[in-house]
Amino acid sequence: MKIRTGFGYDVHQLREGLDFWLGGIKIPHTHGALGHSDADVLIHVICDALLGAANMRDIGYHFADTDPQYKGIDSKILLREVLKLIRNAGYEVSNIDSTVCLQEPKVNPHIPAMKTCLAEVMQLPEEDISIKATTTEKLGFVGKKEGVAAYATVLIYKP
């Protein structure tokens, strides 16, 4: 069996008045992430980690932020497309471990809903998707509530 790991990292600015999408769900908040798509930073890092593990470059390569067809797109659609790419190459997802760095809103109450959403989109058991949340103790752009960051690692395999 061929086993590969991948890593993803992404950041987005937070802006007042935008919807805040994270892990495929809309979280009520005064600020949302700014981006070409819906700016779901958690889904973006999962996509990057999956593509990296399969040696297929990154999300920007496949879904350019200069392409109007992706303007405002639901990131769950991009995740489904990434899964098609890696599955067409013969890979399956073993597990995902991710961390969201955000000062506010608090992410922990939303983790169960995010896991349920992502499990459905990815056709994986929820137990194979780990989502953690942390603040930066008021340090840096995350601590100043100017942005959100996320990290993900994945394990994929060819049966």
Side-chain angles (χ1 to χ4, degrees):
M1 179 176 9
K2 177 108 175 167
I3 298 173
R4 298 178 68 112
T5 62
F7 173 77
Y9 169 73
D10 196 16
V11 299
H12 284 276
Q13 284 185 29
L14 294 176
R15 291 275 176 91
E16 189 171 2
L18 297 176
D19 289 337
F20 188 46
W21 288 93
L22 191 63
I25 67 167
K26 186 175 168 182
I27 296 177
H29 192 53
T30 58
H31 290 67
L34 179 65
H36 185 69
S37 66
D38 64 6
D40 189 324
V41 69
L42 181 56
I43 288 182
H44 293 179
V45 296
I46 291 170
C47 288
D48 269 349
L50 290 166
L51 290 166
N55 196 18
M56 294 181 171
R57 307 216 26 193
D58 59 36
I59 191 172
Y61 177 79
H62 293 277
F63 314 105
D65 65 4
T66 55
D67 190 330
Q69 74 175 316
Y70 302 121
K71 180 70 178 157
I73 194 167
D74 182 337
S75 291
K76 293 185 294 290
I77 295 169
L78 304 180
L79 180 56
R80 283 187 189 102
E81 291 301 312
V82 166
L83 286 162
K84 283 181 193 173
L85 288 170
I86 69 161
R87 287 180 173 144
N88 285 342
Y91 291 103
E92 287 298 327
V93 180
S94 177
N95 72 298
I96 296 163
D97 183 28
S98 62
T99 302
V100 176
C101 303
L102 185 65
Q103 201 64 40
E104 63 178 42
K106 293 298 182 191
V107 174
N108 277 319
H110 304 285
I111 289 175
M114 289 189 285
K115 287 180 67 165
T116 298
C117 178
L118 292 173
E120 182 179 309
V121 170
M122 300 180 72
Q123 301 174 338
L124 289 175
E126 286 185 36
E127 66 189 29
D128 293 341
I129 301 170
S130 168
I131 302 171
K132 303 177 301 297
T134 189
T135 68
T136 58
E137 302 297 329
K138 300 184 180 177
L139 297 173
F141 70 89
V142 170
K144 293 176 186 171
K145 305 176 193 173
E146 297 170 346
V148 56
Y151 304 84
T153 59
V154 302
L155 184 70
I156 63 172
Y157 65 95
K158 268 190 185 178

